[in-house]
Amino acid sequence: MVSITENFKHWLKEDNSFPKDLVIDGKAYTILDRNEENGHVKIGNRIGTKGFVLKVKCDDKTSALKISIPSAYKNEEAPIKEKKLSSALSDYDVFIIPEVIGHIRIPELDEYFKQDDKFYCFILKWVDGTTLKNIIEHDSDLLSPENIQKHLEDILDAVATLALKKLKHDDLHLGNIMLVEQGTILKTKVIKIVDMGSLKCIDDTSSYGKRREDFYNFVAAVVHFRDALFKNRKLYVQHQQFIANIDQLIFKLNDDDGFRAFGDSIQGDDIYRGILKEVEGLSSDNLGNPKKLNNPFDALSAEHIPTNDILLKLFVHYDEFYTKLTSNTSLLMHGPRGCGKTMAFRYVSVNTQLSSISFGEELKKIPYFGVYIGCSQLQPYLSWINNVYSDDTSYYQKSVVTFFSLYLCTELVETFYNVSLNQEAQKFYEVKNTKTLTNFIFAKIQEQYQNSESIPELSTSSPIQHLKNILEKIKAEVYNSVLNKKDLPIILGDAFIPEVSLKAYGALNKSRKIAYLLDDYTFNRIPEKIQEALNKIVWFRSHYQQFSISSEKNSYSTKDYQGANYDDTREYDKVDFGSMIVAGDDNENHKSFIIDMMNHRFKSLGWKVKLEDLIGASKYRTHTSLLEFLKNHSGGSLDCYHGIDIISYLWSGDIALILQLLSKILKDISSDQEEKILPSKQHKAIKTFSETYERYIQNFHVYGKEMSSVAKSFGDYSHSALKNDGHMIRNLEFSLSTGEDIWALLKNTDPSAHGIAQELIKKTIFIELIDSKAKEENKAKTVRWQLKKMYYPAHNITFGKNHYLDIRNIDEFVCFLTKPNQFLDEKKRNKTNKNKTNKNQMELWK
Amino acid sequence: MSNRVEKTQPMNTLYQTEDLIGQLPGATALNQLKKNTTHILILANGFEDRANAFINKISGIPKYKATTVLIAKYTTNTNDNDQTYPKMMDGVNKICDNKPKTFDADDQQKVFLTINQAISKFEETNLLDVTVDISVSSDRLILAIMHSLLKSKYKINLSIIYHEAASYTPSKEEYLKNKEDCIKKVLSSDIQEKGVHPAFFSPLNHGLSKPEYSDFIIQIPTLKLERPFAALMDSDENFFNRSETSICWILGRPEEEHAWREELQKKSLKKGLESRDFENLFTEHNHYVCSTLDYQDTTKLLFKIIDESSRKNITLMPMGSKMQTIGASLVLSVRSECKVMLVKPKRFNKSAYTDGIGKAWMLSFELEKAKEILKKVGCYNIKLRGGKESDSLPSS
């Protein structure tokens, strides 16, 4: 095979020297990109196997001069034949065909060739762009299902055109397919096929395989794109369905019987149309995400709900919570894990609502344009910065803010992109003009971007999508720089997000604020110092932007890195969702929420059953009736824990947990079941669940045994108080001066008791209620902890309260946490003695 | 145009993982080193007998030289480790003219940065020789070292050295004498590791999750179960309600004289799960067994499990043998969507750990080549006409 030697290639790349002009057919072509002093021309990767390409200018027109090495053609006729062949394609813009053909002598090349060697050369249209090969190998972040599909359609069309003209390119790999921008106003990315030097006629005498070589290269292109997506794991995670669809296409393309593979799509004898139809269908979700749950207890946590569509169907709002969440002010909402924060935050985001069939009244209640930001996704990136660079304040601050800003901006742009695909949504959200927004972001990014390679110009065919890809790419660059503590390719300040929000607000016709729904903004996810670095952005107040934040109690910071404090009287509203549910004791509300939630699940599966029918009402609907029963019951089997009232009492705001319990009670039900589950069966399921749930505590490896002992002892103590005195004890209470902090006190007194206490609250074994002042004098408060209600059936206790465990001082608290058995036995003894004394005193009075 | 295609049509088929992984080097007995020099030598300072086996060996080779020596120091059992440290330093001083650099073995980010920094000093070197003795390296350390080397842009020849211990606790005799008692001992939290720290997601392998995908755990447990269980408890708020389809186990099959440990591990794991009300999490269908020495076994299996788990957020808990961890690290280099959860013990019980020095093994990787092979797993073998295979895109 004739090809350029390694020596010559090296010369071309490193040591070349060319004259200023080359004369072809009497016309002088000036070589561009040439160093005037030494004649060196930057050729870059424009070196092929049989020649190279120079950028030249003649009569103000820039062209490509393709120079072939002398041995590339067998005879003088060959290049002329090539030009003649390619002229058949002159009507098709996709092919870059020679305009002029000639030959030249270049004395500078004499060292590598014979002196009388002629160099055949072709003048072609100059195209600015990059090859698809280059994108796949070095810029795969820029790939998307949409642009891959478009490129494949275009390549297939070009192959079909060649076949129609009875020609074959014969070297149609991705390195010979360029992606260039076309048009003046409506700039679009189109492919151009270059290097037509191997163009050949095909006739019926050619073997079938030889005739189809271009087609095989198309198949190879399909495979290369598929593998590029597969290797880029970020894209793989996002587009698994698309990859599965390409795999199916490859399977069909491998079939040696075209009719069998594409029979359904073939019109007449034209297999290309059949394949084109398959390619056009690549982006469709035909295998798709599951359209419904597999069973009523699938996806217990919001995170596991497979699609936004299902989430919309399953969402039931807890009124008080939802009203706050859909307000037009910045919000800090904290509550225990599993109380439905993620579900609600996902529900109010635009991306979820786009799955809605109609943009009706319910949606109008959401007054903002919600962009969901899950902190679990941000955590790994920001934690890295936190762990490694916490002693370099300047780098730390810059990298945290830049990464966070890019992340938010990408999510915002993606949301706008998703809206742009849905006309109904565009109308609903009054999307007016996204061009100003995208141009603004692009200009800002371009202005700040400091890498040697500039950002490619924004495509006008789908600028939002292109911008999203650019942002993703820069985000990855920022992270890579952070990994190796290199200068950041871009630095964005605190003002970037507010500026972007303002433009986005404008794009929505100023009808809705931009709301960033920052879910799980806890120290566990976003460390305290990072939160302080970000709080200037997060708590920035304006008429066009708000942040709604979900967190856990004592797991967020309200300070920023400059020490300013943001509080709930000015910057945001604070809502304690945990206390709202737990302390509310509003069982009717709980009941209707649980019934609604379960019935939504049944309905989403097309089941006719209703929870209230399957479970029925409880025999003991009030705390006192249950108390009476439990107090007086002796021996025999119990069946008191049954019915919807009891199930509602058991709920402490943890949605996944109540669904788990229901899954045990309703274990074997069918879609059309009419009979109620027997109370004894319900009781057994609830009791077993409660016992297992309590036993589970010991499995926590941090203070598991200690916490298990605290919960068990407290449950036993409560049971004994119920049996002996008819007391309902579910809380422990501890009086403190207003200025004192229980956590600081515990830490100073006994660090391990402090650790146990922290874990008890973190794992929601106890729930920390809002401090009370009801039984205190001035300047004092009561710290109140409630044992999670799910543990009560394990101890045969009731859900109400008429007494509490009184912790009188910090030493008692420490004792309760570290030696619960001993401490509570002592309490019981004291109580018995006190009862005896009281009894004696009563007898004295008699 | 006819739509009938000749039988000679080229087929593009997926590479066979078996074939690809088979191209990676296997462990060979460490009889003689290929070279008497290395640019970077990475050692770990531990308390086991085998901790200094390799440094003792190479410091006895007259001309052996290492340009840079990095020593990983643990924050656990520091007093025990200090006892073996002077001997290690004696050896290091014989083979290296430069002062060795110590670093925190338990901080994966620091490991990454230290190795990166050390490598960058050899910018001018075309092919860098790196030797790592993993005989007493923790899973956290092995993963961090491998991650740093596999992510490096430099061409690296990597030699991994591994000395087995001569005997492990419990011994074969003890086990055969009283199996139940041994299982109880394994399940006792005090036998070899005393307490654990909270589990953590590796900062180097943080994964790429998608909120709507379901969680899936791949657990490669150690024989001592406290750490694997701790990782499970911390992995998910709803672990309580997990089903057997959301988790799979890769147990270890040791070679020849230690093969009995496979049964001990399986029985202990089942018993441990039973006592925690999780007996449903271990079934005949959700567990596999892989060689503890042949890392390729683990590599192949992990690729299979991960590539078949579409639409899942995968958490890998690689706490098995050192070679299994090497196998896992190779997979992680090209399956970055998997996050890794790890647990650090608070303290080891030195007296109940391993004894003596067993067989020595070596793995020699040309990392560039290995990376190319790993990248092909799950991809197509493109065949052009005439059955010619195309490894990469043709150059223009």
Side-chain angles (χ1 to χ4, degrees), chain B residues 16-31:
Chain B
Q16 293 294 312
T17 309
E18 293 266 334
D19 296 343
L20 289 172
I21 303 307
Q23 292 171 28
L24 294 172
T28 54
L30 175 68
N31 298 320

Side-chain angles (χ1 to χ4, degrees), chain B residues 216-260:
Chain B
F216 186 72
I217 290 173
I218 305 172
Q219 167 77 264
I220 311 178
T222 55
L223 183 64
K224 293 81 72 180
L225 291 168
E226 200 177 0
R227 286 192 299 127
F229 284 153
L232 294 180
M233 292 307 119
D234 280 0
S235 65
D236 179 5
E237 288 297 303
N238 292 308
F239 190 77
F240 176 58
N241 203 44
R242 266 193 182 266
S243 70
E244 73 276 11
T245 54
S246 65
I247 184 168
C248 78
W249 306 86
I250 301 178
L251 308 186
R253 175 172 296 142
E255 301 290 304
E256 301 155 10
E257 71 265 39
H258 302 301
W260 57 272

Side-chain angles (χ1 to χ4, degrees), chain A residues 181-211:
Chain A
E181 202 165 63
Q182 194 170 269
T184 312
I185 305 165
L186 283 173
K187 289 181 182 172
T188 48
K189 294 261 185 189
V190 293
I191 62 157
K192 294 285 175 195
I193 292 171
V194 298
D195 200 359
M196 306 293 287
S198 311
L199 197 66
K200 290 178 184 67
C201 266
I202 44 174
D203 54 51
D204 295 339
T205 59
S206 313
S207 77
Y208 194 83
K210 274 191 176 289
R211 274 187 278 143

Side-chain angles (χ1 to χ4, degrees), chain B residues 131-300:
Chain B
T131 307
V132 186
D133 177 11
I134 60 163
S135 306
V136 292
S137 295
S138 65
D139 45 31
R140 281 105 46 220
L141 180 60
I142 292 174
L143 288 169
I145 292 173
M146 288 301 285
H147 179 88
S148 316
L149 298 175
L150 285 160
K151 284 274 165 199
S152 173
K153 60 182 181 197
Y154 296 100
K155 279 191 178 171
I156 294 173
N157 263 349
L158 171 65
S159 303
I160 295 174
I161 310 296
Y162 171 56
H163 280 87
E164 291 179 22
S167 64
Y168 295 84
T169 303
S171 68
K172 187 177 180 180
E173 292 69 36
E174 277 177 281
Y175 180 64
L176 293 178
K177 205 169 149 191
N178 193 340
K179 291 186 178 182
E180 286 309 307
D181 202 40
C182 277
I183 292 168
K184 259 187 212 161
K185 272 188 185 167
V186 167
L187 289 171
S188 145
S189 58
D190 280 350
I191 178 80
Q192 286 179 333
E193 296 171 358
K194 297 197 163 201
V196 293
H197 287 283
F200 64 96
F201 284 112
S202 163
L204 303 175
N205 300 100
H206 45 69
L208 297 159
S209 52
K210 213 175 170 190
E212 58 267 37
Y213 292 171
S214 56
D215 291 336
F216 186 72
I217 290 173
I218 305 172
Q219 167 77 264
I220 311 178
T222 55
L223 183 64
K224 293 81 72 180
L225 291 168
E226 200 177 0
R227 286 192 299 127
F229 284 153
L232 294 180
M233 292 307 119
D234 280 0
S235 65
D236 179 5
E237 288 297 303
N238 292 308
F239 190 77
F240 176 58
N241 203 44
R242 266 193 182 266
S243 70
E244 73 276 11
T245 54
S246 65
I247 184 168
C248 78
W249 306 86
I250 301 178
L251 308 186
R253 175 172 296 142
E255 301 290 304
E256 301 155 10
E257 71 265 39
H258 302 301
W260 57 272
R261 284 164 68 90
E262 181 187 337
E263 184 187 84
L264 172 62
Q265 185 181 38
K266 193 171 174 180
K267 286 191 169 172
S268 311
L269 179 61
K270 279 178 111 170
K271 193 118 189 159
L273 287 167
E274 244 171 61
S275 69
R276 288 165 165 85
D277 290 323
F278 293 143
E279 60 270 30
N280 64 318
L281 294 186
F282 187 90
T283 69
E284 281 309 307
H285 309 291
N286 78 347
H287 87 270
Y288 308 86
V289 184
C290 276
S291 164
T292 51
L293 181 65
D294 178 7
Y295 75 94
Q296 295 179 352
D297 213 11
T298 307
T299 306
K300 280 183 266 186

